[in-house]
Amino acid sequence: HVAEVICQETRRQDFVSRIGGDEFIVIIDLHDGADSAEALAGRLVSRLRIPIAYNGALCRFSASIGVARLKSKQGGAPLALDEILINTDIALYKSKENGRNRYTILDDALLSEFNSVNGLADDLLEALETGQIVPFYQPQFHAQGGALRGVEALARWRPPTRGVLPPGVFLP
């Protein structure tokens, strides 16, 4: 059903491919009379939300769509295929993060956010490998009488150049 809807909403000259599971790629040439990628994504989300009858039951679908451009900037050089796929994946996962039945177009702000989070993830992996994540112990006292009841272990990141960081900084 999804493939049928995609084929109905695209043109013969557009490239449509199922790349696995429930993931599809659509490549359109915007200079060739096509609607905008945003318009196509909006139509696909709307059409795929409509339930269909199958074996006497109503089947419901949802769609999360990521949109990326083939060129880095207006009139810029074309991106490599792997870079285009990474960019559409970034936009796709942002759509999924924000809830189903939506599309996200990769822009500079989203790419910057991804690079920041990805860089933080790389830094955290290094921190784990080099022992920069350290425990801090916080005693817990009974409210009546003040007797020690236990100790809570708290993770802190101690990078060599930034002091001690609480989890709110490195685990948003």
Side-chain angles (χ1 to χ4, degrees):
H1 172 70
V2 172
E4 187 176 298
V5 168
I6 292 172
C7 288
Q8 289 170 356
E9 291 296 335
T10 55
R11 303 163 306 154
R12 290 179 56 101
Q13 63 265 40
D14 295 333
F15 177 80
V16 177
S17 177
R18 177 177 169 261
I19 60 172
D22 60 353
E23 292 189 356
F24 295 81
I25 290 177
V26 177
I27 299 175
I28 60 174
D29 182 354
L30 295 175
H31 297 98
D32 193 19
D35 289 338
S36 71
E38 185 172 357
L40 174 59
R43 284 195 318 271
L44 289 172
V45 167
S46 293
R47 291 236 6 235
L48 290 170
R49 291 182 76 168
I50 300 169
I52 63 162
Y54 180 77
N55 285 343
L58 274 183
C59 293
R60 300 186 189 292
F61 297 84
S62 66
S64 299
I65 299 174
V67 178
R69 309 234 180 268
L70 297 178
K71 296 184 177 186
S72 55
K73 293 281 186 192
Q74 186 72 4
L79 299 172
L81 180 58
D82 60 338
E83 199 171 359
I84 295 166
L85 292 175
I86 288 169
N87 287 351
T88 54
D89 260 356
I90 292 167
L92 171 63
Y93 285 103
K94 190 63 171 183
S95 286
K96 289 181 178 182
E97 178 183 304
N98 290 333
R100 302 281 183 200
N101 291 317
R102 67 183 61 240
Y103 63 89
T104 300
I105 297 176
L106 183 77
D107 59 14
D108 290 340
L110 180 55
L111 190 56
S112 176
E113 174 189 331
F114 172 80
N115 288 332
S116 175
V117 169
N118 201 36
L120 179 62
D122 290 343
D123 292 345
L124 271 174
L125 284 174
E126 181 182 344
L128 288 168
E129 292 167 353
T130 59
Q132 295 175 23
I133 305 296
V134 295
F136 273 52
Y137 299 100
Q138 178 173 309
Q140 297 176 328
F141 298 97
H142 193 279
Q144 293 176 339
L148 182 64
R149 302 297 285 180
V151 177
E152 182 178 14
L154 307 169
R156 297 293 184 258
W157 182 6
R158 189 179 287 172
T161 59
R162 296 183 57 198
V164 177
L165 303 176
V169 172
F170 63 90
L171 294 175

